[in-house]
Amino acid sequence: MHAPTGELLARGFVREHGAHSLLVEAEHFSGGWLAEGDDAVVEVLSDHRGTCTYDAVVAFSAAGRIELRDLRLREVVQQRTAVRVPVAVPIHVTQRLEGTELVPLDEPLDIHVLDVSAHGMRIRCARQIEAGTRLAVRFTQSRAPLDLVVEVLRAQELRGEFAHGCRIVGASERVTDELFRFVLDEQRRQLAQRSEQRA
């Protein structure tokens, strides 16, 4: 978040996002002067939308929490890279997508998700999955369980098993945002865990 003059006021994370409002939790906060009614310029990074820049008005500012209202979109810059986070998530897969229909797999698959982003995941399983196969995957690590369809793009051998690069297809904006939120939360959790282990 910046002042209209360009001065950096705060860096942090969006905790709540309404149609015309934001609640920001500031990790680095230098805007003690902020008061209700002050103008601000806010850059929000979204894996789905890219970097969105808004003009806004301060509704509340105290103890590193800043509420902004009257958001007016100024600019959107699309990001080409998707943030990924390593995970170790076992999932039992029983269905695939054929056209628009879910059909049972001949043999259920036990997969392990190795990393995840808002747009894809890397999975490992005992047998190779043909490129183009679309699997129905229930991802339960996010705040609300998400029913995803992942399309296998490629496979490579990995210590006697197979790792597969997959893209998530047909996801709504809500699902994409929820996955991106999970990725950021998991990154913060892993960083905090590493810091505790070093202490």
Side-chain angles (χ1 to χ4, degrees), residues 85-89 112-116 122 139 141 182 186 189-190:
V85 65
V87 294
V89 179
H112 279 79
V113 181
L114 303 175
D115 63 46
V116 64
R122 194 163 59 100
F139 190 76
Q141 308 307 114
F182 164 78
E186 182 63 14
R189 187 193 69 78
Q190 291 181 14

Tab-separated table of all heavy atoms in Angstrom, residues 85-89 112-116 122 139 141 182 186 189-190:
chain	number	residue	atom	x	y	z
A	85	VAL	N	3.669	-24.485	-3.870
A	85	VAL	CA	4.131	-24.840	-2.535
A	85	VAL	C	4.247	-26.363	-2.455
A	85	VAL	O	3.374	-27.088	-2.954
A	85	VAL	CB	3.169	-24.293	-1.453
A	85	VAL	CG1	1.805	-24.929	-1.540
A	85	VAL	CG2	3.749	-24.464	-0.066
A	86	PRO	N	5.343	-26.871	-1.875
A	86	PRO	CA	5.460	-28.329	-1.715
A	86	PRO	C	4.523	-28.833	-0.627
A	86	PRO	O	4.346	-28.182	0.404
A	86	PRO	CB	6.931	-28.535	-1.318
A	86	PRO	CG	7.355	-27.230	-0.728
A	86	PRO	CD	6.542	-26.163	-1.406
A	87	VAL	N	3.904	-29.981	-0.875
A	87	VAL	CA	3.001	-30.595	0.095
A	87	VAL	C	3.206	-32.106	0.046
A	87	VAL	O	3.935	-32.624	-0.797
A	87	VAL	CB	1.512	-30.261	-0.201
A	87	VAL	CG1	1.231	-28.777	-0.006
A	87	VAL	CG2	1.121	-30.698	-1.598
A	88	ALA	N	2.570	-32.814	0.940
A	88	ALA	CA	2.561	-34.281	0.927
A	88	ALA	C	1.143	-34.709	1.280
A	88	ALA	O	0.822	-34.924	2.443
A	88	ALA	CB	3.573	-34.844	1.917
A	89	VAL	N	0.294	-34.788	0.255
A	89	VAL	CA	-1.133	-35.019	0.471
A	89	VAL	C	-1.568	-36.288	-0.254
A	89	VAL	O	-1.554	-36.327	-1.486
A	89	VAL	CB	-1.962	-33.828	-0.047
A	89	VAL	CG1	-3.453	-34.085	0.163
A	89	VAL	CG2	-1.536	-32.531	0.633
A	112	HIS	N	-0.189	-39.195	-4.497
A	112	HIS	CA	0.330	-38.250	-3.509
A	112	HIS	C	0.582	-36.932	-4.229
A	112	HIS	O	1.296	-36.903	-5.238
A	112	HIS	CB	1.640	-38.757	-2.888
A	112	HIS	CG	1.425	-39.748	-1.800
A	112	HIS	ND1	1.142	-41.068	-2.039
A	112	HIS	CD2	1.433	-39.599	-0.444
A	112	HIS	CE1	0.995	-41.702	-0.888
A	112	HIS	NE2	1.158	-40.841	0.095
A	113	VAL	N	-0.017	-35.854	-3.733
A	113	VAL	CA	0.241	-34.535	-4.299
A	113	VAL	C	1.580	-34.056	-3.755
A	113	VAL	O	1.792	-33.996	-2.544
A	113	VAL	CB	-0.885	-33.541	-3.937
A	113	VAL	CG1	-0.605	-32.171	-4.558
A	113	VAL	CG2	-2.235	-34.069	-4.405
A	114	LEU	N	2.505	-33.703	-4.671
A	114	LEU	CA	3.857	-33.282	-4.291
A	114	LEU	C	3.972	-31.763	-4.178
A	114	LEU	O	4.728	-31.255	-3.368
A	114	LEU	CB	4.880	-33.793	-5.316
A	114	LEU	CG	4.905	-35.308	-5.533
A	114	LEU	CD1	5.868	-35.662	-6.653
A	114	LEU	CD2	5.303	-36.022	-4.244
A	115	ASP	N	3.265	-31.049	-5.035
A	115	ASP	CA	3.181	-29.596	-4.903
A	115	ASP	C	1.899	-29.130	-5.569
A	115	ASP	O	1.279	-29.851	-6.364
A	115	ASP	CB	4.421	-28.874	-5.459
A	115	ASP	CG	4.626	-29.087	-6.951
A	115	ASP	OD1	3.646	-28.963	-7.721
A	115	ASP	OD2	5.758	-29.357	-7.362
A	116	VAL	N	1.497	-27.915	-5.211
A	116	VAL	CA	0.218	-27.400	-5.708
A	116	VAL	C	0.318	-25.894	-5.922
A	116	VAL	O	1.050	-25.195	-5.219
A	116	VAL	CB	-0.935	-27.757	-4.728
A	116	VAL	CG1	-0.735	-27.091	-3.387
A	116	VAL	CG2	-2.292	-27.397	-5.311
A	122	ARG	N	1.519	-31.257	-9.008
A	122	ARG	CA	2.369	-32.379	-9.399
A	122	ARG	C	2.011	-33.531	-8.486
A	122	ARG	O	1.963	-33.376	-7.266
A	122	ARG	CB	3.847	-32.001	-9.266
A	122	ARG	CG	4.801	-32.967	-9.963
A	122	ARG	CD	6.173	-32.323	-10.158
A	122	ARG	NE	6.752	-31.934	-8.895
A	122	ARG	CZ	7.690	-32.642	-8.244
A	122	ARG	NH1	8.147	-33.779	-8.738
A	122	ARG	NH2	8.165	-32.204	-7.095
A	139	PHE	N	-9.744	-32.247	-3.032
A	139	PHE	CA	-8.644	-31.657	-2.274
A	139	PHE	C	-9.201	-31.105	-0.976
A	139	PHE	O	-10.005	-30.167	-0.977
A	139	PHE	CB	-7.982	-30.546	-3.101
A	139	PHE	CG	-6.706	-30.025	-2.519
A	139	PHE	CD1	-5.531	-30.750	-2.615
A	139	PHE	CD2	-6.683	-28.795	-1.882
A	139	PHE	CE1	-4.343	-30.262	-2.075
A	139	PHE	CE2	-5.503	-28.302	-1.343
A	139	PHE	CZ	-4.339	-29.034	-1.441
A	141	GLN	N	-7.317	-30.114	1.826
A	141	GLN	CA	-6.385	-29.361	2.668
A	141	GLN	C	-6.754	-27.886	2.763
A	141	GLN	O	-6.300	-27.191	3.668
A	141	GLN	CB	-4.956	-29.483	2.127
A	141	GLN	CG	-4.479	-30.913	1.887
A	141	GLN	CD	-4.661	-31.782	3.108
A	141	GLN	OE1	-5.446	-32.709	3.088
A	141	GLN	NE2	-3.944	-31.489	4.167
A	182	PHE	N	-4.801	-21.030	-0.102
A	182	PHE	CA	-4.164	-22.179	0.550
A	182	PHE	C	-2.663	-22.150	0.342
A	182	PHE	O	-1.880	-22.387	1.276
A	182	PHE	CB	-4.727	-23.501	-0.001
A	182	PHE	CG	-3.878	-24.689	0.325
A	182	PHE	CD1	-3.922	-25.257	1.585
A	182	PHE	CD2	-2.993	-25.216	-0.612
A	182	PHE	CE1	-3.103	-26.341	1.908
A	182	PHE	CE2	-2.175	-26.291	-0.299
A	182	PHE	CZ	-2.237	-26.851	0.962
A	186	GLU	N	-0.072	-21.919	3.350
A	186	GLU	CA	0.847	-23.048	3.562
A	186	GLU	C	2.296	-22.581	3.503
A	186	GLU	O	3.139	-23.043	4.274
A	186	GLU	CB	0.582	-24.137	2.516
A	186	GLU	CG	1.427	-25.381	2.649
A	186	GLU	CD	1.209	-26.158	3.941
A	186	GLU	OE1	0.194	-25.892	4.642
A	186	GLU	OE2	2.047	-27.016	4.254
A	189	ARG	N	2.977	-21.040	6.814
A	189	ARG	CA	3.072	-22.064	7.854
A	189	ARG	C	4.423	-22.769	7.791
A	189	ARG	O	5.071	-22.978	8.827
A	189	ARG	CB	1.943	-23.087	7.686
A	189	ARG	CG	1.859	-24.108	8.818
A	189	ARG	CD	0.967	-25.266	8.457
A	189	ARG	NE	1.552	-26.091	7.426
A	189	ARG	CZ	2.531	-26.989	7.638
A	189	ARG	NH1	3.027	-27.158	8.848
A	189	ARG	NH2	3.011	-27.705	6.645
A	190	GLN	N	4.874	-23.107	6.589
A	190	GLN	CA	6.152	-23.798	6.444
A	190	GLN	C	7.325	-22.907	6.838
A	190	GLN	O	8.282	-23.370	7.464
A	190	GLN	CB	6.315	-24.306	5.010
A	190	GLN	CG	5.364	-25.441	4.652
A	190	GLN	CD	5.536	-25.955	3.235
A	190	GLN	OE1	6.526	-25.654	2.575
A	190	GLN	NE2	4.569	-26.712	2.760
